[in-house]
Amino acid sequence: MDHDSNDEDVSSAGKKREGRDATSSAVSSVDDLVERLRSRVRERRSNGEYPDGLEEALDAHFRRIVFHRSRPHLGQLREAVATFDERLAARPRDVGADSGVPGGEMLHRVVNKAIARQRQALVDHMSDLADAMRDVVHVLVDAVQDPANHVHGDLVSRLDAILERLDSYERRPVEDAAAVGDLRRRVEVLEQALASQQASSRQASSRQASSQQASPG
Amino acid sequence: MRIHQIVPSTSSWRQLESAFVLLPLFRSVDPDSSVYGADLDDVDRDVDGKTVARGDLPSIHVRPLHALLAALRERVSESLVVVHAGAIPARVIDALMMHAQQLVVVAGDGIGDDGATQTLLFDAEEGGRRLAAPVQMQRLASRAARAVAFSVGSAELLKQHGFADVVVCPPIVDPTVVVSTQPHAPTVNHFETMIAGKLFVALDGVSPVSRSELIVQAYHVVSTYLDPTAHLALVGPQQPRYSECIEHEINELNLNRAWIAGDVDVTERRVYLDNASVAVATRVGEADHASLLEAMQAGVPIVATEARGLRELCADSALVLPENADATLIAEAIVAAATDMSLREEMMSAGRACIAGHAFDVALARVADAIFEVAAR
């Protein structure tokens, strides 16, 4: 890495900037400097200091990180809950006593008054029910929004299974090493047996050759 | 004058006579907040619209808002609506169209199709609340008496959206707040005892718009191929879900010297600035004026990708890369800015010149004037 000479390049580019007060020349001097930096990147890449596809690999890495952390779109749910809250907050409208029939208005008033107590009780009951329902909805929404607040049993069991398999993979190299060691030991035994067998057969053949030479004609 | 803040449930603003639409001029900690963000907790959120902003100024992000509101309160007699336009639901815009007589839009970030890939990836799931969609901007433009932009680029974008009267003002930022603060002693001690090697900081938070993933990737290139002793700290407000992804990216790349510091207070921020070798910014859309000015004030060279308002704010104090710069190019730029002494000196000198030309009071007065002119019509 020719770092010093590169620094000199940058330094000289920086010195060239001195004495230029116009904005355009300042921009051009920065652009010169940037071009020198670009050529330095190219040089490092051609020298093998930067691996090919480095930037693309880093971008792809970050995209993978983001992809695995995307969350569901809950905007529509929030809007629905807001509408629900607004409607619950609205007071029940009074029932009018208007009537097109003579004496009808009086009759409506009497009926309204007669059932007012029961109606209020009913409204109170419905309000209590609605409040309870609103609480339930909010708890449910919170649970949906926060993954820590709810559990998917089916996913957990699958995850457990995957983790177990992962554990077995992680354990396997240790077992493989033992197996390889055992095989190596057995091969060594076989090699030794073969070597001694070859040595004894060589001895036998040399003895046979020498006996043949010793016997005349 | 009453200053009203809009929350989706309020209805009191319907009777108001003027509106001041505040696009994300100020950074928001909590992206789920429907008003300003959690960093404005000291501002009352009165759904009846009767409460004005109040309280001390605990953060550099809050102070400009308070100062602006205070300046306007002194001069504008009419009711005023403050809306975080990045979070404006369509129905609020509907009502603004029908009821507001005067409408001033102050636009920072969030007025265009910024941060296309990552921002859409995250915001689509949240109802697209962060960015004001072009169609919403066009509707605001049809009713706005004036728009205030903090860069020429944003002004051009607003004009493209149909805003007729657009005024460019300097950003309301006081970069002296951090450097004039006493540094946080435990953090100083931590840096002295635990941190060796160069520190690169990203000061504009952890969010899709900040493209923190690109900074982490560039740091991965630095620490793997160029300087194994370097550190990276991501400082500033975090978008929780995105931040979670960045944390996983850091862990999976085994970047032991990188961490998310988060939205630390000014005393800790001071320590990060004091120890930083380079400030890195890869934000899309509008540049983050506050963090850039802070870096310049602290004498930290900036490596940044192109953004609206970046060159006009930083001039030669930033090594400006193309917006589509990849991780290796950013890494090379960071190392050059950290090791080339003459380049560093030149950038710091340019930064000091930029800071000398920026004044909080002047910027504040310019924005207040721009709004006041409309209110006085």
Side-chain angles (χ1 to χ4, degrees):
Chain A
M1 184 165 50
D2 190 11
H3 208 81
D4 292 336
S5 66
N6 286 332
D7 285 343
E8 282 170 16
D9 287 349
V10 173
S11 174
S12 61
K15 284 172 185 167
K16 282 182 185 174
R17 290 150 44 119
E18 290 177 4
R20 298 180 186 182
D21 51 357
T23 309
S24 59
S25 46
V27 169
S28 122
S29 114
V30 169
D31 291 344
D32 288 347
L33 182 56
V34 171
E35 190 46 48
R36 285 175 187 276
L37 293 171
R38 278 190 199 282
S39 66
R40 186 181 296 179
V41 171
R42 283 193 293 270
E43 189 185 335
R44 287 193 203 279
R45 182 156 288 127
S46 64
N47 290 344
E49 292 174 45
Y50 289 151
D52 288 335
L54 175 61
E55 297 88 348
E56 292 79 6
L58 288 168
D59 281 343
H61 174 248
F62 186 69
R63 276 200 300 275
R64 278 198 300 278
I65 290 175
V66 171
F67 176 78
H68 289 297
R69 280 161 187 81
S70 61
R71 290 183 189 174
H73 190 344
L74 296 173
Q76 210 171 353
L77 178 62
R78 289 197 200 103
E79 283 176 17
V81 171
T83 308
F84 181 64
D85 285 344
E86 273 178 28
R87 291 191 180 168
L88 283 185
R91 296 169 60 85
R93 286 176 300 175
D94 288 334
V95 179
D98 297 342
S99 174
V101 181
E105 189 175 333
M106 177 66 76
L107 180 64
H108 281 309
R109 282 185 186 161
V110 171
V111 170
N112 280 349
K113 198 162 187 178
I115 65 168
R117 197 170 163 194
Q118 286 77 10
R119 193 182 67 169
Q120 187 57 47
L122 190 63
V123 166
D124 290 345
H125 179 66
M126 293 299 289
S127 295
D128 291 345
L129 200 62
D131 287 342
M133 192 181 291
R134 182 173 53 194
D135 291 343
V136 170
V137 168
H138 280 277
V139 170
L140 280 173
V141 169
D142 289 344
V144 169
Q145 284 178 330
D146 185 0
N149 275 349
H150 62 281
V151 175
H152 292 277
D154 52 340
L155 292 181
V156 168
S157 61
R158 287 186 191 185
L159 200 58
D160 284 343
I162 291 169
L163 287 174
E164 280 179 19
R165 289 181 67 185
L166 193 62
D167 285 345
S168 72
Y169 288 136
E170 285 176 349
R171 282 196 298 270
R172 184 161 294 174
V174 179
E175 293 172 0
D176 286 351
V180 169
D182 183 50
L183 282 172
R184 185 176 291 130
R185 185 184 56 76
R186 291 167 66 182
V187 168
E188 283 171 1
V189 170
L190 284 172
E191 282 177 345
Q192 283 174 1
L194 186 63
S196 62
Q197 193 179 3
Q198 285 173 340
S200 57
S201 68
R202 273 198 299 273
Q203 284 174 357
S205 57
S206 64
R207 274 200 299 273
Q208 191 178 1
S210 57
S211 63
Q212 283 175 353
Q213 285 174 356
S215 58
Chain B
M1 184 190 73
R2 293 187 302 164
I3 296 179
H4 301 254
Q5 298 173 70
I6 285 186
V7 295
S9 58
T10 189
S11 58
S12 61
W13 48 273
R14 287 173 189 276
Q15 287 80 44
L16 298 176
E17 292 175 351
S18 65
F20 165 35
V21 181
L22 184 74
L23 281 116
L25 167 62
F26 309 98
R27 287 180 286 191
S28 168
V29 172
D30 178 9
D32 290 331
S33 167
S34 57
V35 196
Y36 294 126
D39 55 343
L40 293 176
D41 274 343
D42 64 323
V43 178
D44 284 352
R45 295 177 181 178
D46 186 353
V47 294
D48 294 320
K50 292 176 183 172
T51 310
V52 297
R54 65 174 175 80
D56 295 325
L57 310 175
S59 153
I60 55 165
H61 312 311
V62 180
R63 183 175 178 227
L65 175 62
H66 282 278
L68 180 59
L69 294 182
L72 291 169
R73 232 182 353 253
E74 287 174 4
R75 300 173 64 180
V76 182
S77 59
E78 299 166 8
S79 298
L80 197 67
V81 180
V82 178
V83 188
H84 192 297
I88 288 188
R91 61 198 173 93
V92 173
I93 293 189
D94 287 344
L96 281 172
M97 297 301 105
M98 292 169 58
H99 295 278
Q101 300 302 309
Q102 297 277 25
L103 183 68
V104 179
V105 175
V106 178
D109 204 345
I111 58 173
D113 299 323
D114 301 336
T117 319
Q118 292 304 328
T119 305
L120 287 177
L121 186 63
F122 284 88
D123 287 351
E125 298 164 11
E126 294 168 5
R129 286 183 299 159
R130 197 197 69 78
L131 289 179
V135 64
Q136 290 177 340
M137 292 303 297
Q138 285 160 13
R139 295 181 67 206
L140 282 174
S142 69
R143 283 288 296 109
R146 166 168 288 181
V148 178
F150 295 105
S151 68
V152 174
S154 285
E156 286 170 1
L157 195 55
L158 286 168
K159 283 178 182 169
Q160 286 172 20
H161 282 312
F163 287 85
D165 181 2
V166 183
V167 176
V168 180
C169 294
I172 315 171
V173 177
D174 186 358
T176 62
V177 171
V178 175
V179 291
S180 60
T181 306
Q182 194 69 20
H184 187 247
T187 311
V188 171
N189 184 50
H190 175 75
F191 271 88
E192 285 175 353
T193 55
M194 305 295 290
I195 307 295
K198 292 186 168 53
L199 172 71
F200 308 131
V201 292
L203 295 165
D204 60 345
V206 183
S207 70
V209 185
S210 303
R211 295 198 295 176
S212 308
E213 84 277 9
L214 187 56
I215 296 175
V216 170
Q217 290 164 11
Y219 170 72
H220 169 73
V221 174
V222 171
S223 64
T224 307
Y225 304 103
L226 305 174
D227 181 0
T229 64
H231 296 74
L232 172 71
L234 302 173
V235 183
Q238 306 173 60
Q239 190 197 61
R241 291 183 46 215
Y242 178 77
S243 189
E244 188 184 318
C245 293
I246 294 298
E247 203 169 333
H248 280 280
E249 187 184 32
I250 290 172
N251 291 338
E252 291 182 18
L253 292 173
N254 293 317
L255 303 176
N256 299 326
R257 292 187 171 87
W259 71 96
I260 298 173
D263 194 26
V264 296
D265 67 17
V266 286
T267 60
E268 284 185 71
R269 202 172 170 89
R270 162 82 194 268
V271 183
Y272 280 96
L273 279 165
D274 286 348
N275 287 276
S277 297
V278 176
V280 192
T282 53
R283 198 178 187 84
V284 288
E286 182 89 1
D288 185 44
H289 312 113
S291 61
L292 294 171
L293 284 165
E294 278 171 15
M296 287 190 276
Q297 180 79 46
V300 181
I302 299 163
V303 169
T305 53
E306 190 73 81
R308 290 198 302 273
L310 181 71
R311 288 185 192 260
E312 57 198 272
L313 187 72
C314 297
D316 275 1
S317 65
L319 206 172
V320 183
L321 303 171
E323 189 184 335
N324 62 357
D326 57 28
T328 47
L329 183 60
I330 296 170
E332 292 287 357
I334 290 172
V335 170
T339 58
D340 183 335
M341 289 306 149
S342 81
L343 178 62
R344 283 180 68 78
E345 185 48 49
E346 191 182 345
M347 291 167 86
M348 286 189 279
S349 167
R352 284 191 290 272
C354 286
I355 286 294
H358 179 85
F360 176 81
D361 294 338
V362 173
L364 181 66
R366 289 274 297 277
V367 176
D369 284 348
I371 295 169
F372 177 70
E373 284 169 15
V374 174
R377 281 176 188 171

